[in-house]
Amino acid sequence: MTEPMVIRGADVAAEVYRELSTELSEFFAQGIRPGLAVVLVGDDPASKAYVGSKDRKCRELGLHSLKIELPATTLMPELLGRIEELNQNPAIHGILVQMPLPKHLDEQTVIRAIDPRKDVDGLHPVNLGKLVMEDPTGFAPCTPSGCQRMLQFAGVETAGARVVVLGRSLLVGKSIALLLVSKGVMADATVTIAHSRTRGLPALCREADIIIAAIGKPNFVTADFVREGAVVIDVGINRIEDPEKPGSYKLVGDVAYAQVAPKCRAITPVPGGVGVMTIAMLMANTAKACRLTATML
Ligand code: NAP
């Protein structure tokens, strides 16, 4: 049996950043600096860490970065007011509101308040509509486009491939399915979306050339889900107690990596896989937002 190709997020992201630097140097030469604003409400440690990495990456690439931190007690009118200021700010091309929001704030209302031309997270109904309509002026959500990019990096043929996506969230499952079923490059696949009510999951997955797992259940996809030579993309990020170090935690995916990897042609690890791609695609979407604004002037 040949070793599977391990698709490492860092390698794929490095390729995205190389392409982005070329595009960015053209912007800089014209005196244009793409700008991203990230809004964080409250002090959830994981969200703080994500916002910190986005801010650092912007600075590394030379993008204008605006980090807006608001207290957990912030009310809707204040938050919507801050978003409207960012919508009007010409130095800001992309706006991301870090989810989840504190319970008293309605996420859908907040997402809809963002100007769709600045919605680099791709979750505004206008951008989801453009994803369905295959309109290239829209923004695809970052994690799904990161998965697609990983397949491209690994040289996986998607045209005509049978794909099973486990999970139907808008953020991941449904959006990756839409990307892969679209017409065009790194698409044209035959896609099945599975969820908690799907019957006979292992047999369904064994039919797949490509399995994309996004359900949030540690080590759920076992060897009997996977046919020899399949490609497996593991989106799941689950924190579980480390059996080797009682009292401490580790991150695992939705795929039981040790038993699944030997059957695969290619597989993504967790950590170090899809997670790394989300920020890279956010940076790429910010550059795209800037490019679209510039061409509209
Ligand atoms: P979510 O909104 O909770 O959706 C989970 C989906 O999985 C639902 O559609 C659910 O089905 C389905 N599901 C749950 N249990 C199942 C089962 N036993 N069999 C089949 N389907 C099942 O989660 P999400 O936001 O999509 O995230 C999924 C995972 O990806 C999480 O681990 C999350 O941390 C991770 N994630 C990673 C990144 C990244 O950057 N790598 C980004 C986003 C999310 P129903 O609809 O029927 O309930």
Side-chain angles (χ1 to χ4, degrees), residues 50 142-144 166-173 193-198 201 213-217 220 234-238 252-254 273-279:
Y50 290 138
C142 300
T143 303
L166 297 171
R168 58 175 160 182
S169 72
L170 263 188
L171 183 64
V172 194
I193 306 178
H195 47 79
S196 65
R197 306 295 298 273
T198 302
L201 261 185
I215 57 177
K217 297 259 182 295
F220 182 88
D234 189 355
V235 185
I237 300 180
N238 308 292
V252 297
D254 289 345
V274 177
V276 182
M277 291 304 296
T278 302
I279 292 185

Coordinates of all heavy atoms in Angstrom, one line a residue, residues 50 142-144 166-173 193-198 201 213-217 220 234-238 252-254 273-279, ligand 1:
Y50 N -8.8 33.9 17.3 CA -9.0 33.9 15.8 C -8.8 35.3 15.3 O -8.1 35.6 14.3 CB -10.4 33.5 15.5 CG -10.7 32.0 15.7 CD1 -11.9 31.5 16.2 CD2 -9.8 31.0 15.3 CE1 -12.1 30.2 16.4 CE2 -10.0 29.7 15.4 CZ -11.2 29.3 16.0 OH -11.5 27.9 16.2
C142 N -15.2 31.3 3.5 CA -13.8 31.0 3.5 C -13.4 29.5 3.7 O -12.5 29.0 3.0 CB -13.1 31.8 4.6 SG -13.4 33.6 4.3
T143 N -14.0 28.8 4.7 CA -13.6 27.5 4.9 C -14.0 26.6 3.7 O -13.1 25.8 3.3 CB -14.3 26.9 6.2 OG1 -13.9 27.8 7.3 CG2 -13.9 25.5 6.6
P144 N -15.2 26.7 3.1 CA -15.5 25.9 1.9 C -14.5 26.2 0.8 O -14.0 25.2 0.2 CB -16.9 26.2 1.6 CG -17.5 26.6 2.9 CD -16.4 27.3 3.6
L166 N -20.4 15.5 4.5 CA -21.1 15.2 5.8 C -21.3 16.5 6.5 O -20.4 17.1 6.9 CB -20.3 14.2 6.7 CG -20.0 12.9 6.1 CD1 -18.9 12.1 6.9 CD2 -21.3 12.1 6.0
G167 N -22.6 16.9 6.7 CA -22.9 18.2 7.4 C -23.6 19.1 6.4 O -23.2 19.1 5.2
R168 N -24.6 19.8 6.9 CA -25.3 20.7 6.0 C -25.4 22.1 6.5 O -26.4 22.8 6.2 CB -26.7 20.1 5.7 CG -27.5 19.9 7.0 CD -29.0 19.5 6.7 NE -29.6 18.9 7.9 CZ -30.8 18.4 7.9 NH1 -31.5 18.4 6.8 NH2 -31.3 17.8 9.0
S169 N -24.4 22.6 7.3 CA -24.5 24.0 7.8 C -24.2 24.9 6.6 O -23.5 24.5 5.6 CB -23.5 24.2 8.9 OG -22.2 24.2 8.3
L170 N -24.8 26.1 6.7 CA -24.5 27.1 5.6 C -23.0 27.4 5.6 O -22.4 27.6 4.6 CB -25.2 28.4 6.0 CG -26.6 28.6 5.3 CD1 -27.0 30.0 5.6 CD2 -26.5 28.4 3.8
L171 N -22.4 27.5 6.8 CA -21.0 27.9 7.0 C -20.1 27.0 6.3 O -19.1 27.4 5.7 CB -20.7 28.0 8.5 CG -19.3 28.5 8.8 CD1 -19.1 29.9 8.4 CD2 -19.1 28.4 10.3
V172 N -20.4 25.7 6.3 CA -19.5 24.7 5.7 C -20.2 23.8 4.8 O -20.1 23.9 3.5 CB -18.8 23.9 6.8 CG1 -17.6 23.1 6.2 CG2 -18.3 24.7 8.0
G173 N -21.0 22.8 5.3 CA -21.4 21.7 4.4 C -22.2 22.1 3.2 O -21.8 21.8 2.0
I193 N -25.2 15.5 -0.1 CA -25.1 16.1 1.2 C -25.8 15.2 2.2 O -26.9 14.9 2.1 CB -25.7 17.5 1.3 CG1 -25.2 18.4 0.2 CG2 -25.5 18.2 2.6 CD1 -25.9 19.8 0.1
A194 N -25.0 14.8 3.2 CA -25.5 13.9 4.3 C -25.6 14.7 5.6 O -24.9 15.7 5.8 CB -24.7 12.7 4.5
H195 N -26.5 14.3 6.5 CA -26.7 15.0 7.8 C -27.2 14.0 8.8 O -27.2 12.8 8.5 CB -27.7 16.1 7.6 CG -28.9 15.7 6.8 ND1 -30.0 15.0 7.4 CD2 -29.2 15.9 5.5 CE1 -30.9 14.8 6.4 NE2 -30.4 15.3 5.3
S196 N -27.6 14.5 9.9 CA -27.9 13.6 11.0 C -29.1 12.6 10.8 O -29.3 11.6 11.4 CB -28.2 14.4 12.3 OG -29.4 15.1 12.2
R197 N -29.9 13.0 9.7 CA -31.1 12.1 9.4 C -30.8 11.2 8.3 O -31.6 10.4 7.8 CB -32.3 13.0 9.1 CG -32.7 14.0 10.1 CD -33.1 13.4 11.4 NE -34.3 12.5 11.3 CZ -35.6 13.0 11.4 NH1 -35.8 14.2 11.6 NH2 -36.6 12.2 11.2
T198 N -29.6 11.2 7.7 CA -29.2 10.4 6.6 C -29.1 8.9 7.1 O -28.5 8.6 8.1 CB -27.9 10.8 6.0 OG1 -28.0 12.2 5.6 CG2 -27.5 10.0 4.8
L201 N -25.1 5.8 6.4 CA -23.9 6.7 6.1 C -22.6 6.0 5.7 O -22.0 6.3 4.6 CB -23.6 7.5 7.3 CG -24.1 9.0 7.4 CD1 -23.5 9.7 8.6 CD2 -23.7 9.7 6.1
A213 N -15.8 15.9 5.6 CA -16.5 15.7 6.9 C -16.5 17.0 7.6 O -15.5 17.6 7.9 CB -15.7 14.7 7.7
A214 N -17.8 17.5 7.9 CA -17.9 18.8 8.6 C -19.1 18.6 9.5 O -20.2 19.2 9.3 CB -18.2 19.9 7.6
I215 N -19.0 17.8 10.6 CA -20.1 17.5 11.5 C -19.8 17.9 12.9 O -20.7 18.0 13.7 CB -20.6 16.1 11.4 CG1 -19.5 15.1 11.7 CG2 -21.2 15.8 10.0 CD1 -20.0 13.6 11.7
G216 N -18.6 18.0 13.3 CA -18.2 18.3 14.7 C -18.4 17.2 15.6 O -18.8 17.3 16.8
K217 N -18.0 16.0 15.1 CA -18.1 14.8 16.0 C -16.7 14.1 15.9 O -16.4 13.6 14.9 CB -19.2 13.8 15.5 CG -20.6 14.3 15.5 CD -21.3 13.7 16.8 CE -22.7 14.1 16.9 NZ -23.0 15.5 17.1
F220 N -15.5 10.5 14.0 CA -16.8 9.9 13.6 C -16.6 9.0 12.3 O -17.1 7.9 12.2 CB -17.8 11.0 13.3 CG -19.1 10.5 12.9 CD1 -20.1 10.2 13.8 CD2 -19.5 10.3 11.5 CE1 -21.4 9.8 13.5 CE2 -20.7 9.9 11.2 CZ -21.7 9.6 12.1
D234 N -11.0 16.8 6.1 CA -11.6 16.8 7.5 C -11.7 18.2 8.0 O -10.7 18.9 8.3 CB -10.6 15.9 8.4 CG -11.2 15.7 9.8 OD1 -12.3 16.3 10.0 OD2 -10.6 15.0 10.5
V235 N -12.9 18.7 8.0 CA -13.1 20.1 8.4 C -13.3 20.2 9.9 O -13.0 21.2 10.5 CB -14.4 20.7 7.7 CG1 -14.5 22.2 8.1 CG2 -14.3 20.5 6.2
G236 N -13.6 19.1 10.6 CA -14.0 19.1 12.0 C -12.8 19.6 12.9 O -11.6 19.3 12.6
I237 N -13.2 20.4 13.9 CA -12.2 20.7 14.9 C -12.9 20.4 16.2 O -13.8 21.1 16.6 CB -11.8 22.2 14.8 CG1 -11.2 22.5 13.5 CG2 -10.8 22.6 16.0 CD1 -10.8 24.0 13.3
N238 N -12.4 19.4 16.9 CA -13.0 19.0 18.2 C -12.0 18.9 19.3 O -10.9 18.4 19.0 CB -13.6 17.6 18.0 CG -14.6 17.5 16.8 OD1 -15.6 18.1 16.8 ND2 -14.2 16.8 15.8
V252 N -8.9 17.1 17.7 CA -9.0 16.0 16.7 C -10.1 16.5 15.7 O -10.9 17.3 16.0 CB -9.3 14.7 17.3 CG1 -8.3 14.2 18.2 CG2 -10.7 14.7 18.0
G253 N -10.0 15.8 14.5 CA -11.0 16.1 13.5 C -12.3 15.2 13.6 O -12.5 14.5 14.6
D254 N -13.1 15.2 12.5 CA -14.2 14.3 12.5 C -13.8 13.0 11.9 O -14.7 12.1 11.9 CB -15.3 14.9 11.6 CG -15.9 16.2 12.2 OD1 -15.8 16.4 13.4 OD2 -16.6 16.9 11.4
G273 N -4.6 21.3 9.1 CA -5.3 21.1 7.8 C -6.1 22.2 7.4 O -5.6 23.3 7.2
V274 N -7.4 22.0 7.3 CA -8.4 23.0 6.7 C -8.3 24.3 7.6 O -8.4 25.4 7.0 CB -9.8 22.4 6.7 CG1 -10.8 23.4 6.3 CG2 -9.9 21.2 5.9
G275 N -8.2 24.1 8.9 CA -8.2 25.3 9.8 C -7.3 26.4 9.3 O -7.7 27.6 9.3
V276 N -6.1 26.1 8.8 CA -5.1 27.1 8.4 C -5.6 27.8 7.1 O -5.2 29.0 6.9 CB -3.8 26.3 8.0 CG1 -2.7 27.3 7.6 CG2 -3.3 25.5 9.2
M277 N -6.5 27.1 6.4 CA -6.9 27.7 5.1 C -7.9 28.8 5.2 O -8.1 29.7 4.4 CB -7.5 26.6 4.2 CG -6.6 25.6 3.7 SD -5.2 26.4 2.8 CE -6.1 27.1 1.4
T278 N -8.7 28.8 6.4 CA -9.8 29.7 6.5 C -9.3 31.2 6.5 O -9.8 32.0 5.8 CB -10.6 29.4 7.8 OG1 -11.0 28.1 7.7 CG2 -11.8 30.3 8.0
I279 N -8.2 31.4 7.2 CA -7.6 32.8 7.2 C -7.0 33.2 5.8 O -7.2 34.3 5.3 CB -6.5 33.0 8.3 CG1 -7.2 32.9 9.6 CG2 -5.8 34.3 8.2 CD1 -6.3 33.1 10.8
Ligands
NAP1 P1 -22.9 22.6 12.7 O1 -23.5 23.9 12.3 O2 -23.1 22.1 14.1 O3 -23.4 21.5 11.7 C1 -23.1 20.2 11.9 C2 -23.7 19.4 10.8 O4 -23.3 18.0 11.0 C3 -25.3 19.4 10.8 O5 -25.7 19.5 9.5 C4 -25.6 18.1 11.4 O6 -26.8 17.5 10.9 C5 -24.5 17.2 10.9 N1 -24.4 16.0 11.8 C6 -24.3 16.1 13.2 N2 -24.1 14.8 13.6 C7 -24.2 14.0 12.6 C8 -24.2 12.6 12.4 N3 -24.0 11.8 13.5 N4 -24.2 12.1 11.2 C9 -24.3 12.9 10.1 N5 -24.4 14.2 10.2 C10 -24.3 14.8 11.4 O7 -21.3 22.7 12.5 P2 -20.4 23.5 11.4 O8 -20.3 24.9 11.8 O9 -20.8 23.1 10.1 O10 -19.0 22.8 11.8 C11 -18.7 21.5 11.6 C12 -17.3 21.2 12.1 O11 -16.4 21.9 11.4 C13 -17.1 21.6 13.6 O12 -16.2 20.7 14.2 C14 -16.4 22.9 13.5 O13 -15.6 23.2 14.6 C15 -15.6 22.7 12.3 N6 -15.3 24.0 11.6 C16 -14.0 24.2 11.2 C17 -13.6 25.3 10.5 C18 -12.2 25.4 10.1 O14 -11.7 26.5 9.9 N7 -11.5 24.3 9.9 C19 -14.6 26.3 10.2 C20 -15.9 26.1 10.6 C21 -16.2 24.9 11.3 P3 -28.3 18.2 11.1 O15 -28.3 19.4 10.2 O16 -29.3 17.2 10.8 O17 -28.3 18.6 12.6

